[in-house]
Amino acid sequence: MQHYPQATLYVVATPIGNLADITLRALHVLQLVDAIACEDKRHTQPLLRQYGIDKPLLAVHQHNEAEAAEGLVQRLQRGERVAYVSDAGTPAVSDPGARLVAAVRAAGFKVMPLPGASSVTTVLSAAGVTRAEGSEGSGSSFVFAGFLPTKAGERDQAIELLRTDPRATVILEAPHRIEALARAMAVLQGRLVTVGRELTKQFEEIATLPAQDLAAWLDAGPQRTRGEFALVLHSASAPEGPDDSLRILQLLLAELPLKTAVKLAADITGAARNELYDTALKLKNE
């Protein structure tokens, strides 16, 4: 059982939509602390009311984070426990909180994170992305880009960088900018994108499609431009090498079990084993 010392800032993840996603540990700490700092009292109060929690609320958001941190440090100096929550998800990722954490650590006080809901891990778990070429092991290798620049030219430059990076990338976007992002991502052509809309909420929608089709998908229904978005740009396919890896794989499959053929083809050609395995499955099913 973990202890919850005084003079500590507790960084608490909260639900990204479904209030049932709050953790038991988060509820315990929110009941325990002396005060709760939050991004917006109007968002936090209903959550606390749902679980019968009544604590002093302190506003700490992107416009006052540096100044508000001083007041919170003073509370910690008095030995208080203080929690910080953002409007939804894990603070200090794309939400405020990083400056507060840095100020508390600089003042010599403990910061204790309480993990929980995150749109990043939620959309990744439903995307089924695989590792980029040359990586070993299962699961996904990804980059978190957060919100891309709002200005068109800067956003286009950011997407051009994504084009040259074979790793999967998680992008967040607001509803009033999602159509512009979709149009800009069309240059990525057939590279797959998983789009998660209103994750964990009543009208949750998740789809995987080529980047060039994302704008048309949004246009297919008026509700599809509403809500918050988390997107995964999938790993790029391994580029074709000078050797004929497909031909070698086909020859080996004719004589050997699938896994053995894939291993030998990867050893011979240097191609990514995951890519060869996917290709082998398709060939077997044809």
Side-chain angles (χ1 to χ4, degrees), residues 143-163:
V143 177
F144 176 61
F147 291 91
L148 298 188
T150 57
K151 294 183 179 179
E154 295 176 358
R155 182 176 55 239
D156 290 344
Q157 290 178 2
I159 291 174
E160 185 59 33
L161 290 176
L162 295 180
R163 187 211 289 265

Side-chain angles (χ1 to χ4, degrees), residues 159-180:
I159 291 174
E160 185 59 33
L161 290 176
L162 295 180
R163 187 211 289 265
T164 63
D165 192 334
R167 296 171 295 180
T169 303
V170 178
I171 302 167
L172 305 181
E173 193 52 277
H176 63 282
R177 292 195 299 264
I178 187 62
E179 291 177 287

Side-chain angles (χ1 to χ4, degrees), residues 108-130:
F109 293 99
K110 184 180 178 71
V111 176
M112 184 178 290
L114 275 70
S118 166
S119 61
V120 176
T121 52
T122 299
V123 73
L124 274 170
S125 69
V129 297
T130 56

